[in-house]
Coordinates of all heavy atoms in Angstrom, one line a residue:
M1 N 0.9 -1.2 0.0 CA 0.0 0.0 0.0 C 0.9 1.3 0.0 O 1.9 1.3 0.7 CB -0.9 0.0 1.2 CG -1.8 1.2 1.3 SD -3.3 0.9 2.3 CE -4.2 -0.3 1.4
A2 N 0.5 2.2 -0.8 CA 1.4 3.4 -1.1 C 1.3 4.3 0.1 O 0.3 4.5 0.8 CB 0.9 4.1 -2.3
L3 N 2.5 4.9 0.4 CA 2.5 6.0 1.4 C 1.7 7.2 0.9 O 1.6 7.5 -0.3 CB 4.0 6.5 1.6 CG 4.9 5.5 2.3 CD1 6.3 6.1 2.3 CD2 4.5 5.3 3.8
L4 N 1.0 7.8 1.9 CA 0.2 9.0 1.5 C 1.0 10.2 1.4 O 2.1 10.4 2.0 CB -0.9 9.2 2.6 CG -1.9 8.1 2.8 CD1 -2.7 8.3 4.0 CD2 -2.7 7.9 1.6
T5 N 0.6 11.1 0.5 CA 1.2 12.4 0.4 C 0.8 13.3 1.6 O -0.1 13.0 2.3 CB 0.8 13.2 -0.9 OG1 -0.6 13.5 -0.8 CG2 1.0 12.3 -2.1
A6 N 1.6 14.4 1.8 CA 1.3 15.3 2.9 C -0.1 15.9 2.8 O -0.8 16.0 3.8 CB 2.3 16.5 2.9
S7 N -0.5 16.2 1.6 CA -1.9 16.7 1.4 C -2.9 15.7 1.7 O -4.0 16.0 2.3 CB -1.9 17.2 -0.1 OG -3.2 17.1 -0.6
E8 N -2.7 14.4 1.3 CA -3.7 13.4 1.6 C -3.8 13.2 3.1 O -4.8 13.0 3.7 CB -3.3 12.1 0.9 CG -3.5 12.1 -0.6 CD -2.8 10.9 -1.3 OE1 -1.8 10.4 -0.8 OE2 -3.3 10.6 -2.4
I9 N -2.6 13.2 3.8 CA -2.6 13.1 5.3 C -3.4 14.2 5.9 O -4.2 14.0 6.8 CB -1.1 13.1 5.8 CG1 -0.4 11.8 5.3 CG2 -1.1 13.3 7.3 CD1 1.1 11.8 5.5
Q10 N -3.2 15.4 5.4 CA -4.0 16.5 6.0 C -5.5 16.4 5.8 O -6.3 16.7 6.7 CB -3.5 17.9 5.4 CG -2.2 18.4 6.0 CD -2.1 18.4 7.5 OE1 -3.1 18.7 8.2 NE2 -1.0 17.9 8.1
D11 N -5.9 15.9 4.7 CA -7.3 15.7 4.4 C -7.9 14.6 5.3 O -8.9 14.8 5.9 CB -7.5 15.2 2.9 CG -7.3 16.3 1.9 OD1 -7.2 17.4 2.3 OD2 -7.2 15.9 0.7
H12 N -7.1 13.5 5.6 CA -7.6 12.5 6.5 C -7.7 13.1 7.9 O -8.6 12.8 8.7 CB -6.6 11.3 6.5 CG -6.8 10.4 5.3 ND1 -8.0 9.6 5.1 CD2 -6.0 10.1 4.3 CE1 -7.9 8.9 4.1 NE2 -6.7 9.2 3.5
L13 N -6.7 13.9 8.3 CA -6.7 14.4 9.7 C -7.9 15.3 9.9 O -8.4 15.4 11.0 CB -5.4 15.1 9.9 CG -4.2 14.2 10.2 CD1 -2.8 15.0 10.2 CD2 -4.3 13.4 11.4
T14 N -8.2 16.1 8.9 CA -9.4 16.9 9.0 C -10.6 16.1 9.4 O -11.5 16.6 10.1 CB -9.6 17.7 7.7 OG1 -8.4 18.5 7.5 CG2 -10.8 18.7 7.8
A15 N -10.7 14.9 8.8 CA -11.9 14.1 9.1 C -11.8 13.3 10.4 O -12.8 12.7 10.8 CB -12.0 13.1 7.9
L16 N -10.6 13.4 11.0 CA -10.4 12.6 12.2 C -9.8 13.5 13.3 O -8.6 13.4 13.6 CB -9.4 11.4 12.0 CG -10.0 10.3 11.1 CD1 -8.9 9.4 10.7 CD2 -11.1 9.5 11.8
P17 N -10.6 14.4 13.9 CA -10.0 15.4 14.8 C -9.4 14.9 16.1 O -8.7 15.7 16.8 CB -11.2 16.4 15.0 CG -12.4 15.6 14.7 CD -12.0 14.6 13.6
N18 N -9.7 13.6 16.4 CA -9.1 13.1 17.6 C -7.6 12.7 17.4 O -6.9 12.3 18.4 CB -9.8 11.8 18.1 CG -11.3 12.1 18.5 OD1 -11.5 13.2 18.9 ND2 -12.2 11.2 18.3
W19 N -7.1 12.7 16.2 CA -5.8 12.3 15.9 C -4.9 13.4 15.4 O -5.3 14.4 14.8 CB -5.9 11.2 14.7 CG -6.6 10.0 15.1 CD1 -8.0 9.8 15.2 CD2 -6.1 8.8 15.6 NE1 -8.3 8.6 15.7 CE2 -7.1 7.9 15.9 CE3 -4.8 8.3 15.7 CZ2 -7.0 6.6 16.4 CZ3 -4.6 7.0 16.2 CH2 -5.6 6.2 16.5
V20 N -3.6 13.3 15.9 CA -2.6 14.3 15.5 C -1.5 13.7 14.8 O -1.2 12.5 15.0 CB -2.2 15.1 16.7 CG1 -3.2 16.0 17.3 CG2 -1.5 14.2 17.7
L21 N -0.9 14.4 13.9 CA 0.3 14.0 13.2 C 1.5 14.1 14.1 O 1.8 15.3 14.6 CB 0.5 14.7 11.9 CG 1.6 14.3 11.0 CD1 1.3 12.9 10.4 CD2 1.7 15.4 9.8
E22 N 2.3 13.1 14.3 CA 3.5 13.2 15.1 C 4.6 12.4 14.3 O 4.6 11.2 14.2 CB 3.4 12.6 16.5 CG 2.4 13.4 17.3 CD 2.4 13.2 18.8 OE1 3.3 12.3 19.3 OE2 1.6 13.8 19.5
G23 N 5.4 13.2 13.6 CA 6.4 12.6 12.7 C 5.7 11.9 11.6 O 4.9 12.5 10.9
S24 N 6.1 10.6 11.4 CA 5.4 9.8 10.3 C 4.4 8.9 10.9 O 4.2 7.8 10.4 CB 6.5 9.0 9.6 OG 7.3 8.3 10.5
T25 N 3.8 9.3 12.1 CA 2.7 8.5 12.7 C 1.5 9.5 13.0 O 1.7 10.7 13.0 CB 3.2 7.9 14.0 OG1 3.3 9.0 15.0 CG2 4.5 7.2 13.9
I26 N 0.4 8.8 13.3 CA -0.7 9.6 13.8 C -1.0 9.0 15.2 O -0.8 7.8 15.5 CB -2.0 9.5 13.0 CG1 -2.4 8.1 12.6 CG2 -1.8 10.4 11.7 CD1 -3.8 8.0 11.9
V27 N -1.4 9.9 16.1 CA -1.5 9.6 17.5 C -2.8 10.1 18.1 O -3.3 11.2 17.8 CB -0.3 10.2 18.3 CG1 -0.5 9.9 19.8 CG2 1.0 9.8 17.8
C28 N -3.4 9.2 18.9 CA -4.7 9.6 19.7 C -4.5 9.3 21.1 O -4.0 8.2 21.5 CB -5.8 8.7 19.1 SG -7.4 9.0 19.9
R29 N -4.7 10.2 22.0 CA -4.6 10.0 23.4 C -6.0 10.0 24.0 O -6.7 10.9 23.9 CB -3.7 11.1 24.0 CG -2.3 11.1 23.5 CD -1.4 12.1 24.2 NE 0.0 11.8 23.8 CZ 0.5 12.3 22.7 NH1 -0.2 13.1 21.9 NH2 1.8 12.0 22.3
R30 N -6.2 8.9 24.7 CA -7.5 8.7 25.4 C -7.3 8.6 26.9 O -6.4 7.9 27.4 CB -8.2 7.4 24.9 CG -8.5 7.4 23.4 CD -9.8 8.2 23.0 NE -10.9 7.7 23.7 CZ -11.8 6.8 23.2 NH1 -11.7 6.4 21.9 NH2 -12.9 6.4 23.8
R31 N -8.3 9.1 27.7 CA -8.2 9.0 29.1 C -9.5 8.4 29.6 O -10.6 8.7 29.1 CB -8.1 10.4 29.7 CG -8.0 10.5 31.2 CD -8.1 11.9 31.7 NE -6.9 12.7 31.4 CZ -5.9 12.8 32.3 NH1 -6.0 12.3 33.5 NH2 -4.8 13.5 31.9
F32 N -9.4 7.5 30.5 CA -10.5 6.7 31.0 C -10.7 6.9 32.5 O -9.8 7.5 33.2 CB -10.4 5.2 30.7 CG -10.3 5.0 29.2 CD1 -9.1 5.0 28.5 CD2 -11.5 4.8 28.4 CE1 -9.0 4.9 27.1 CE2 -11.4 4.7 27.0 CZ -10.2 4.7 26.4
A33 N -11.8 6.3 33.1 CA -12.0 6.5 34.5 C -11.0 5.9 35.3 O -10.6 6.4 36.4 CB -13.4 5.9 34.8
D34 N -10.5 4.7 34.9 CA -9.5 4.0 35.7 C -8.7 3.0 34.8 O -9.0 2.9 33.6 CB -10.2 3.3 36.9 CG -11.4 2.5 36.4 OD1 -11.3 1.9 35.3 OD2 -12.3 2.3 37.2
F35 N -7.9 2.2 35.4 CA -7.0 1.2 34.7 C -7.9 0.2 34.0 O -7.7 -0.2 32.8 CB -6.0 0.6 35.6 CG -5.1 -0.3 35.0 CD1 -4.1 0.0 34.1 CD2 -5.1 -1.7 35.4 CE1 -3.2 -0.8 33.6 CE2 -4.2 -2.6 34.8 CZ -3.3 -2.2 33.9
I36 N -8.9 -0.3 34.8 CA -9.7 -1.4 34.2 C -10.4 -1.0 32.9 O -10.5 -1.7 31.9 CB -10.7 -1.9 35.3 CG1 -10.0 -2.7 36.3 CG2 -11.8 -2.7 34.6 CD1 -10.8 -3.2 37.5
T37 N -10.9 0.3 33.0 CA -11.7 0.8 31.8 C -10.7 1.0 30.6 O -11.0 0.8 29.5 CB -12.4 2.1 32.2 OG1 -13.0 2.0 33.4 CG2 -13.4 2.5 31.1
A38 N -9.5 1.5 31.0 CA -8.5 1.7 29.9 C -8.1 0.3 29.3 O -8.0 0.2 28.0 CB -7.2 2.3 30.5
I39 N -8.0 -0.7 30.1 CA -7.6 -2.0 29.5 C -8.8 -2.6 28.7 O -8.5 -3.2 27.7 CB -7.2 -3.0 30.7 CG1 -5.9 -2.5 31.3 CG2 -7.0 -4.4 30.1 CD1 -4.7 -2.5 30.4
A40 N -10.0 -2.3 29.2 CA -11.1 -2.8 28.4 C -11.1 -2.2 27.0 O -11.5 -2.8 26.0 CB -12.4 -2.5 29.2
F41 N -10.8 -0.9 27.0 CA -10.7 -0.2 25.7 C -9.6 -0.9 24.8 O -9.8 -1.1 23.6 CB -10.4 1.3 25.9 CG -10.1 2.0 24.6 CD1 -11.0 2.3 23.7 CD2 -8.7 2.3 24.3 CE1 -10.7 3.0 22.5 CE2 -8.4 3.0 23.1 CZ -9.4 3.3 22.2
V42 N -8.5 -1.1 25.4 CA -7.4 -1.7 24.6 C -7.8 -3.1 24.1 O -7.5 -3.4 22.9 CB -6.1 -1.9 25.5 CG1 -5.1 -2.8 24.9 CG2 -5.5 -0.5 25.8
N43 N -8.5 -3.8 24.9 CA -9.0 -5.1 24.4 C -9.9 -5.0 23.2 O -10.0 -5.9 22.3 CB -9.7 -5.9 25.6 CG -8.7 -6.6 26.4 OD1 -7.7 -7.1 25.9 ND2 -8.9 -6.6 27.7
Q44 N -10.7 -3.9 23.2 CA -11.6 -3.7 22.1 C -10.8 -3.4 20.7 O -11.4 -3.5 19.7 CB -12.5 -2.5 22.3 CG -13.6 -2.6 23.3 CD -14.5 -1.4 23.3 OE1 -15.3 -1.2 22.4 NE2 -14.3 -0.5 24.3
L45 N -9.5 -3.0 20.9 CA -8.7 -2.8 19.7 C -8.3 -4.1 19.0 O -8.0 -4.0 17.8 CB -7.5 -2.0 20.1 CG -7.6 -0.7 20.7 CD1 -6.3 -0.1 21.1 CD2 -8.3 0.3 19.8
V46 N -8.4 -5.2 19.7 CA -7.8 -6.4 19.1 C -8.5 -6.8 17.9 O -7.9 -7.2 16.9 CB -7.9 -7.5 20.2 CG1 -7.4 -8.9 19.6 CG2 -7.0 -7.1 21.4
E47 N -9.9 -6.9 18.0 CA -10.6 -7.4 16.8 C -10.4 -6.6 15.5 O -10.1 -7.1 14.5 CB -12.1 -7.5 17.2 CG -13.0 -8.3 16.3 CD -13.4 -7.5 15.1 OE1 -13.6 -6.3 15.2 OE2 -13.5 -8.1 14.0
P48 N -10.6 -5.2 15.6 CA -10.4 -4.5 14.3 C -9.0 -4.6 13.9 O -8.7 -4.6 12.6 CB -10.8 -3.1 14.7 CG -11.0 -3.0 16.1 CD -11.2 -4.4 16.6
A49 N -8.0 -4.6 14.8 CA -6.6 -4.7 14.4 C -6.3 -6.0 13.7 O -5.7 -6.1 12.6 CB -5.7 -4.5 15.6
E50 N -6.8 -7.1 14.3 CA -6.6 -8.4 13.7 C -7.3 -8.5 12.3 O -6.8 -9.1 11.4 CB -7.0 -9.5 14.6 CG -6.1 -9.8 15.8 CD -4.8 -10.4 15.3 OE1 -4.8 -11.4 14.7 OE2 -3.7 -9.8 15.4
A51 N -8.5 -8.0 12.3 CA -9.3 -8.1 11.1 C -8.6 -7.4 9.9 O -8.6 -7.8 8.8 CB -10.7 -7.5 11.3
A52 N -8.0 -6.3 10.3 CA -7.2 -5.5 9.2 C -5.8 -6.0 9.0 O -5.1 -5.4 8.2 CB -7.3 -4.0 9.6
N53 N -5.4 -6.9 9.9 CA -3.9 -7.2 10.0 C -3.1 -6.0 10.0 O -2.1 -5.8 9.3 CB -3.5 -8.1 8.8 CG -2.1 -8.7 9.0 OD1 -1.7 -8.9 10.1 ND2 -1.4 -8.9 7.9
H54 N -3.5 -5.1 10.9 CA -2.8 -3.8 11.1 C -2.9 -3.4 12.5 O -4.0 -3.4 13.1 CB -3.5 -2.7 10.2 CG -2.7 -1.6 9.9 ND1 -1.5 -1.6 9.2 CD2 -2.8 -0.2 10.3 CE1 -0.9 -0.4 9.2 NE2 -1.7 0.4 9.8
H55 N -1.8 -3.2 13.1 CA -1.7 -3.2 14.6 C -1.2 -1.9 15.2 O -0.1 -1.5 14.8 CB -0.9 -4.4 15.1 CG -1.4 -5.7 14.5 ND1 -1.0 -6.2 13.4 CD2 -2.3 -6.5 15.0 CE1 -1.6 -7.4 13.1 NE2 -2.5 -7.6 14.1
P56 N -1.9 -1.3 16.1 CA -1.4 -0.1 16.7 C -0.3 -0.3 17.7 O -0.2 -1.4 18.3 CB -2.7 0.5 17.4 CG -3.5 -0.8 17.7 CD -3.2 -1.7 16.6
D57 N 0.5 0.7 17.8 CA 1.5 0.7 18.9 C 0.8 1.3 20.1 O 0.1 2.4 19.9 CB 2.7 1.6 18.6 CG 3.5 1.0 17.4 OD1 3.4 -0.2 17.2 OD2 4.1 1.8 16.7
L58 N 0.9 0.7 21.3 CA 0.1 1.1 22.4 C 1.0 1.5 23.6 O 2.0 0.8 23.9 CB -0.9 0.0 22.8 CG -1.9 -0.4 21.7 CD1 -2.6 -1.7 22.1 CD2 -2.9 0.8 21.6
E59 N 0.6 2.5 24.3 CA 1.2 2.9 25.6 C 0.1 3.1 26.6 O -0.8 3.8 26.4 CB 2.1 4.1 25.4 CG 2.8 4.6 26.6 CD 3.6 5.9 26.4 OE1 4.2 6.0 25.3 OE2 3.5 6.7 27.2
I60 N 0.2 2.4 27.7 CA -0.8 2.5 28.8 C -0.1 3.0 30.0 O 0.9 2.6 30.5 CB -1.4 1.1 29.1 CG1 -2.0 0.5 27.8 CG2 -2.5 1.2 30.2 CD1 -2.2 -1.0 27.9
S61 N -0.7 4.1 30.6 CA -0.2 4.6 31.8 C -1.5 4.9 32.7 O -2.2 5.8 32.6 CB 0.5 6.0 31.6 OG 0.9 6.6 32.8
Y62 N -1.7 3.9 33.6 CA -2.9 3.9 34.5 C -4.2 4.0 33.7 O -4.6 3.1 33.1 CB -2.7 4.9 35.6 CG -4.0 5.0 36.5 CD1 -4.6 3.9 37.0 CD2 -4.6 6.3 36.7 CE1 -5.8 4.0 37.8 CE2 -5.7 6.4 37.5 CZ -6.3 5.2 38.0 OH -7.5 5.3 38.8
N63 N -4.7 5.2 33.6 CA -6.0 5.4 32.9 C -5.9 6.1 31.6 O -6.9 6.5 31.0 CB -7.0 6.2 33.8 CG -6.5 7.6 34.0 OD1 -5.3 7.9 33.9 ND2 -7.4 8.5 34.4
K64 N -4.7 6.2 31.1 CA -4.4 6.8 29.8 C -3.9 5.8 28.8 O -3.0 5.0 29.2 CB -3.4 8.0 30.0 CG -4.0 9.2 30.8 CD -3.1 10.3 30.9 CE -1.9 10.0 31.7 NZ -1.5 10.9 32.8
V65 N -4.4 5.9 27.6 CA -3.9 5.0 26.5 C -3.5 5.9 25.4 O -4.3 6.8 24.9 CB -5.0 4.1 26.1 CG1 -4.5 3.2 24.9 CG2 -5.5 3.2 27.2
T66 N -2.3 5.7 24.9 CA -1.8 6.4 23.7 C -1.7 5.4 22.6 O -1.1 4.3 22.7 CB -0.4 7.0 24.0 OG1 -0.5 7.9 25.1 CG2 0.1 7.8 22.7
I67 N -2.4 5.7 21.5 CA -2.5 4.8 20.3 C -1.7 5.5 19.2 O -2.0 6.7 18.9 CB -4.0 4.6 19.9 CG1 -4.8 4.2 21.0 CG2 -4.0 3.6 18.7 CD1 -6.2 4.9 21.0
T68 N -0.7 4.8 18.7 CA 0.1 5.3 17.6 C -0.1 4.4 16.4 O 0.1 3.2 16.6 CB 1.5 5.4 18.1 OG1 1.6 6.3 19.2 CG2 2.4 6.0 16.9
L69 N -0.4 5.0 15.3 CA -0.5 4.3 14.1 C 0.5 4.7 13.0 O 0.7 5.9 12.8 CB -2.0 4.4 13.5 CG -3.1 3.8 14.3 CD1 -4.4 4.2 13.7 CD2 -3.0 2.3 14.2
S70 N 1.1 3.7 12.4 CA 1.8 4.0 11.2 C 1.9 2.6 10.5 O 1.6 1.5 11.1 CB 3.2 4.5 11.4 OG 4.0 3.5 12.0
T71 N 2.3 2.6 9.2 CA 2.4 1.3 8.5 C 3.9 1.0 8.5 O 4.7 1.5 7.8 CB 1.9 1.5 7.1 OG1 0.5 1.8 7.1 CG2 2.0 0.1 6.3
H72 N 4.2 0.0 9.4 CA 5.7 -0.3 9.6 C 6.3 -0.8 8.3 O 7.5 -0.4 8.1 CB 5.8 -1.4 10.7 CG 5.1 -1.0 12.0 ND1 4.5 -2.0 12.8 CD2 4.9 0.2 12.6 CE1 4.0 -1.4 13.9 NE2 4.2 -0.1 13.8
D73 N 5.6 -1.6 7.6 CA 6.2 -2.2 6.4 C 6.5 -1.1 5.3 O 7.4 -1.4 4.5 CB 5.2 -3.2 5.8 CG 4.9 -4.4 6.6 OD1 5.7 -4.6 7.6 OD2 3.9 -5.1 6.4
E74 N 5.8 0.0 5.4 CA 6.1 1.1 4.4 C 6.9 2.2 5.0 O 7.3 3.1 4.2 CB 4.7 1.7 3.9 CG 3.8 0.6 3.2 CD 4.4 0.2 1.9 OE1 5.2 0.9 1.3 OE2 3.9 -0.9 1.4
G75 N 7.1 2.3 6.3 CA 7.8 3.3 6.9 C 7.1 4.7 7.0 O 7.8 5.7 6.9
G76 N 5.8 4.6 7.1 CA 5.1 5.9 7.1 C 3.6 5.6 7.1 O 3.1 4.6 7.5
L77 N 2.8 6.6 6.7 CA 1.3 6.6 6.8 C 0.7 6.1 5.5 O 1.1 6.6 4.4 CB 0.8 7.9 7.2 CG 1.1 8.3 8.7 CD1 0.8 9.8 8.9 CD2 0.2 7.5 9.6
T78 N -0.2 5.2 5.6 CA -1.0 4.7 4.4 C -2.4 4.8 4.8 O -2.8 5.1 5.9 CB -0.6 3.3 4.0 OG1 -1.1 2.4 5.1 CG2 0.9 3.1 3.8
A79 N -3.3 4.5 3.8 CA -4.7 4.5 4.1 C -5.1 3.5 5.2 O -6.1 3.7 5.9 CB -5.5 4.1 2.8
K80 N -4.3 2.4 5.3 CA -4.6 1.5 6.4 C -4.6 2.2 7.8 O -5.4 1.8 8.6 CB -3.5 0.4 6.4 CG -3.6 -0.7 5.4 CD -2.6 -1.8 5.7 CE -3.0 -3.0 4.9 NZ -2.1 -4.1 5.3
D81 N -3.7 3.1 8.0 CA -3.7 3.8 9.3 C -5.0 4.6 9.5 O -5.5 4.6 10.6 CB -2.4 4.7 9.4 CG -1.2 3.8 9.2 OD1 -1.0 3.0 10.0 OD2 -0.5 4.1 8.2
F82 N -5.4 5.3 8.5 CA -6.6 6.1 8.7 C -7.9 5.3 8.7 O -8.8 5.6 9.4 CB -6.7 7.2 7.6 CG -5.6 8.2 7.8 CD1 -4.4 8.2 7.2 CD2 -5.7 9.2 8.8 CE1 -3.4 9.1 7.4 CE2 -4.8 10.2 9.0 CZ -3.6 10.1 8.3
D83 N -7.9 4.2 8.0 CA -9.0 3.3 8.1 C -9.2 2.7 9.5 O -10.3 2.7 10.1 CB -8.9 2.1 7.2 CG -9.0 2.5 5.7 OD1 -9.5 3.6 5.4 OD2 -8.7 1.6 4.8
L84 N -8.0 2.3 10.1 CA -8.1 1.8 11.5 C -8.4 2.9 12.5 O -9.1 2.7 13.5 CB -6.7 1.1 11.8 CG -6.7 0.3 13.2 CD1 -7.9 -0.7 13.3 CD2 -5.4 -0.4 13.4
A85 N -7.8 4.1 12.3 CA -8.1 5.2 13.2 C -9.6 5.5 13.2 O -10.2 5.7 14.3 CB -7.4 6.5 12.7
A86 N -10.3 5.4 12.0 CA -11.7 5.7 12.0 C -12.4 4.6 12.8 O -13.4 4.9 13.5 CB -12.2 5.7 10.5
K87 N -12.0 3.4 12.6 CA -12.7 2.3 13.4 C -12.4 2.4 14.9 O -13.4 2.2 15.7 CB -12.1 0.9 13.0 CG -12.6 0.5 11.5 CD -12.4 -0.9 11.3 CE -12.9 -1.3 9.9 NZ -12.0 -1.0 8.8
I88 N -11.3 2.9 15.3 CA -11.0 3.1 16.7 C -11.8 4.2 17.3 O -12.3 4.1 18.4 CB -9.4 3.3 16.9 CG1 -8.6 2.1 16.6 CG2 -9.2 3.9 18.3 CD1 -7.1 2.3 16.6
D89 N -12.1 5.2 16.5 CA -12.9 6.3 16.9 C -14.4 5.8 17.2 O -15.1 6.5 17.9 CB -13.0 7.4 15.9 CG -11.8 8.3 16.0 OD1 -11.0 8.2 17.0 OD2 -11.6 9.2 15.2
Q90 N -14.8 4.7 16.6 CA -16.1 4.2 16.9 C -16.2 3.4 18.2 O -17.3 3.2 18.7 CB -16.6 3.2 15.8 CG -16.5 3.8 14.4 CD -17.3 5.1 14.3 OE1 -18.5 5.2 14.7 NE2 -16.7 6.2 13.7
L91 N -15.1 3.1 18.8 CA -15.1 2.3 20.0 C -15.4 3.2 21.2 O -15.1 4.4 21.2 CB -13.7 1.6 20.2 CG -13.3 0.7 19.1 CD1 -11.9 0.2 19.4 CD2 -14.3 -0.4 18.9
G92 N -15.9 2.6 22.3 CA -16.3 3.3 23.5 C -15.1 3.9 24.3 O -14.0 3.6 24.0
Ligands
H2B1 C1 3.4 -9.8 8.0 C2 2.2 -8.9 8.5 O1 1.2 -8.8 7.5 C3 2.8 -7.5 8.6 O2 3.9 -7.5 9.4 C4 1.7 -6.5 9.2 C5 1.3 -6.8 10.6 N1 0.7 -5.6 11.3 C6 1.2 -4.4 10.9 N2 0.8 -3.3 11.6 C7 1.3 -2.1 11.3 N3 0.9 -1.1 12.1 N4 2.1 -1.9 10.3 C8 2.5 -2.9 9.5 O3 3.2 -2.7 8.5 C9 2.0 -4.2 9.8 N5 2.3 -5.2 9.0

């Protein structure tokens, strides 16, 4: 899958306001009531990630989850990242 151009990335980000561009990745930071709720959210990521064969990088700090997406195989952002970001935005 082809790397997106800067202009394509900006268009996708406009449609996904919870995500920010950080280097060659997009990042979403979520805060939950507590650790259990944060982990429950992380568990919800498994199904869409496996279905897409596309996996987020995750950082968990108590009730905060940082989700970082990029296409490792391509070394940057592709449509796969924005497709998964949109699915993640639908999760609780
Ligand atoms: C072999 C396997 O299809 C690849 O390594 C997949 C798995 N999950 C992946 N996830 C992400 N984020 N980027 C990839 O390039 C990637 N590649």
Side-chain angles (χ1 to χ4, degrees):
M1 181 159 293
L3 288 174
L4 297 173
T5 66
S7 150
E8 289 169 333
I9 289 168
Q10 285 310 321
D11 287 348
H12 281 294
L13 285 170
T14 301
L16 293 168
N18 297 329
W19 295 80
V20 293
L21 184 65
E22 294 193 3
S24 56
T25 73
I26 53 170
V27 178
C28 176
R29 295 185 172 84
R30 300 278 304 261
R31 180 188 290 264
F32 298 90
D34 51 31
F35 182 67
I36 288 177
T37 317
I39 294 298
F41 171 75
V42 167
N43 278 322
Q44 288 188 76
L45 301 176
V46 174
E47 192 277 329
E50 283 293 301
N53 190 31
H54 199 63
H55 303 91
D57 298 332
L58 299 168
E59 182 182 315
I60 303 161
S61 176
Y62 175 49
N63 65 339
K64 291 183 293 233
V65 179
T66 303
I67 309 140
T68 302
L69 287 172
S70 72
T71 302
H72 305 148
D73 295 343
E74 300 289 342
L77 289 165
T78 68
K80 281 188 166 191
D81 299 300
F82 289 97
D83 289 349
L84 187 56
K87 291 196 174 81
I88 291 172
D89 276 354
Q90 302 306 311
L91 303 174

